[in-house]
Amino acid sequence: MDTSETNCINGIVINGDFDKSETKAVDVQLQCNLLTDGQSKFSIKTIKDNPVAMKYYTGFLDYKHFMFFFGILGPAVNHLQSRSSRLTPVNQLLLTLIKLRQAKDDVELSFMFRVSEATVSKTIIKWINFLYFQLKEINIWPSQSTVQQHMPTGFKRLFPHTRVLLDATEIPIQKPSNVNSQSATFSTYKHKNTLKAMIGCTPHGCVSYVSDCYGGSVSDRQIIERSPLCKEASKYFERNDSIMADRGIMVQDLFASNDVFVNTPTMLKGKSQLEPKDVVRDRRIASKHIHIVREIGLSKTFKILKKVSAANKLTLGSRIVYIICFAMTNFRPAIVNDWA
């Protein structure tokens, strides 16, 4: 080889008078440096000073907001640090939130955090269960006085007794191999296999109820019938409270005995068109019920809710719905204005 010839290896120019063994040694050294470079390992330090990156990866506004949530989890997080783990509890939470927020594959997360795929999988499952049981301890159902105190002006003028806004949401799952499970989870609305849950929020937009998840074939009424809102209505509602729900949620008879009214848009019931007063009322209900639709839409910015989940992880899916719909949404600024 001509001594004047040069080679470029990984961005470094090497003179042609290097022999092959020296060239190989340089290449190996560069690769080793890349593998051991501490700066290339993703961690909370990587994004702590970048609010845009923090919101993109975790959903929180900034590092202070992230650490506030971490602090709420209490000292129990320290017990999640095993001797063999290379990830601190803060970085374990970060990894889990990136999985929920961006639905990244485990192999990509293993590259980012420089751990094995098995470690990534175990960490995510461990933290989803931990977050679920920790956050489940928080009573998210506010008292009537609290709801009234924070009720937006427009809501109080039109529907002053509203306690909760209800709507259903569905997340896709893989088609189960069992025929009975296929039937139980098939949603005629989404035309695919799904998990379905009922979500409730206060007039001010705070998520106050998340039901268990059921197969997509279950109706909205069946979910409410099985919920503590119906079975233990006296614990959740007071006389003259009202529920606001979508047209398909016809459950007035379930709450009538507790003097709780259900506001839903008017059904035609054989009529060709609605009366003018019913049209006005329905528009008012729709203008307020949209708040729960927006809350659910905000939750679905966490891409894990749009990604098809494995059919054998339905319990985990139900817990993910609770964590995201409650924890992640309620720890962010309210999306309903005081005058809405």
Side-chain angles (χ1 to χ4, degrees):
M1 180 171 61
D2 188 353
T3 56
S4 63
E5 183 182 356
T6 60
N7 295 323
C8 183
I9 300 178
N10 288 338
I12 295 181
V13 177
I14 302 174
N15 292 327
D17 55 1
F18 271 39
D19 60 29
K20 291 183 179 180
S21 61
E22 290 175 313
T23 301
K24 185 176 181 181
V26 171
D27 193 30
V28 170
Q29 183 61 45
L30 287 171
Q31 293 181 38
C32 290
N33 288 341
L34 286 172
L35 291 171
T36 57
D37 183 7
Q39 296 299 320
S40 63
K41 179 180 177 180
F42 197 89
S43 70
I44 193 64
K45 293 180 180 179
T46 311
I47 59 174
K48 67 178 295 186
D49 297 321
N50 189 338
V52 175
M54 183 65 74
K55 186 173 183 180
Y56 175 79
Y57 283 115
T58 70
F60 291 113
L61 298 178
D62 50 32
Y63 176 71
K64 184 178 180 180
H65 194 190
F66 172 87
M67 291 307 297
F68 171 76
F69 177 73
F70 180 78
I72 284 174
L73 299 176
V77 295
N78 298 319
H79 297 287
L80 300 177
Q81 175 72 53
S82 61
R83 293 181 180 179
S84 59
S85 176
R86 297 172 59 186
L87 297 173
T88 62
V90 169
N91 285 320
Q92 289 179 35
L93 174 60
L94 175 63
L95 184 152
T96 304
L97 291 180
I98 293 175
K99 179 70 174 182
L100 298 177
R101 179 76 170 166
Q102 296 300 330
K104 291 187 178 293
D105 292 332
D106 289 357
V107 64
E108 183 177 357
L109 290 171
S110 72
F111 292 151
M112 290 174 64
F113 287 86
R114 296 297 172 85
V115 293
S116 67
E117 282 186 66
T119 298
V120 169
S121 179
K122 290 176 182 177
T123 300
I124 290 170
I125 292 173
K126 175 174 65 177
W127 268 85
I128 286 174
N129 288 321
F130 173 72
L131 288 171
Y132 174 77
F133 287 109
Q134 284 291 98
L135 297 172
K136 198 76 171 174
E137 295 295 318
I138 302 174
N139 180 17
I140 63 175
W141 184 262
S143 65
Q144 186 188 62
S145 60
T146 301
V147 173
Q148 289 291 324
Q149 180 182 351
H150 296 280
M151 186 176 289
T153 307
F155 222 115
K156 185 172 289 188
R157 178 170 54 86
L158 296 174
F159 303 101
H161 301 293
T162 304
R163 191 71 179 272
V164 65
L165 290 72
L166 293 176
D167 201 9
T169 187
E170 298 183 61
I171 61 172
I173 61 170
Q174 289 178 357
K175 184 177 180 180
S177 56
N178 182 276
V179 176
N180 292 331
S181 298
Q182 290 177 21
S183 176
T185 59
F186 186 79
S187 168
T188 54
Y189 179 69
K190 294 289 186 179
H191 302 291
K192 63 179 74 173
N193 296 91
T194 65
L195 288 180
K196 189 174 187 179
M198 188 65 63
I199 312 298
C201 77
T202 66
H204 197 260
C206 175
V207 175
S208 56
Y209 178 74
V210 183
S211 77
D212 293 332
C213 283
Y214 297 89
S217 66
V218 173
S219 68
D220 297 344
R221 180 184 173 91
Q222 287 174 317
I223 294 178
I224 293 176
E225 279 181 320
R226 301 173 187 178
S227 74
L229 293 182
C230 182
K231 291 181 177 180
E232 305 172 49
S234 59
K235 276 181 57 178
Y236 287 85
F237 299 101
E238 297 180 33
R239 289 188 64 184
N240 298 321
D241 278 347
S242 68
I243 298 168
M244 186 172 286
D246 199 9
R247 179 176 278 105
I249 305 178
M250 304 302 295
V251 291
Q252 177 65 63
D253 58 307
L254 299 180
F255 295 95
S257 60
N258 293 93
D259 292 326
V260 176
F261 184 74
V262 180
N263 273 314
T264 59
T266 309
M267 303 291 285
L268 285 173
K269 295 181 179 178
K271 299 177 183 178
S272 59
Q273 62 181 18
L274 296 174
E275 297 292 330
K277 63 177 183 179
D278 291 331
V279 173
V280 173
R281 175 180 172 275
D282 287 0
R283 286 177 178 174
R284 288 175 174 174
I285 291 176
S287 70
K288 303 307 176 187
H289 186 263
I290 193 66
H291 298 327
I292 181 62
V293 178
R294 291 173 63 204
E295 287 288 350
I296 292 173
L298 182 64
S299 296
K300 289 191 175 180
T301 59
F302 283 78
K303 296 178 183 177
I304 196 72
L305 293 184
K306 296 180 180 179
K307 188 174 182 179
V308 177
S309 302
N312 62 350
K313 294 185 177 180
L314 300 189
T315 301
L316 205 62
S318 182
R319 291 174 181 178
I320 287 172
V321 169
Y322 184 88
I323 291 167
I324 295 175
C325 287
F326 156 59
M328 300 297 102
T329 304
N330 277 2
F331 282 95
R332 291 194 280 182
I335 62 173
V336 181
N337 297 323
D338 291 338
W339 56 86

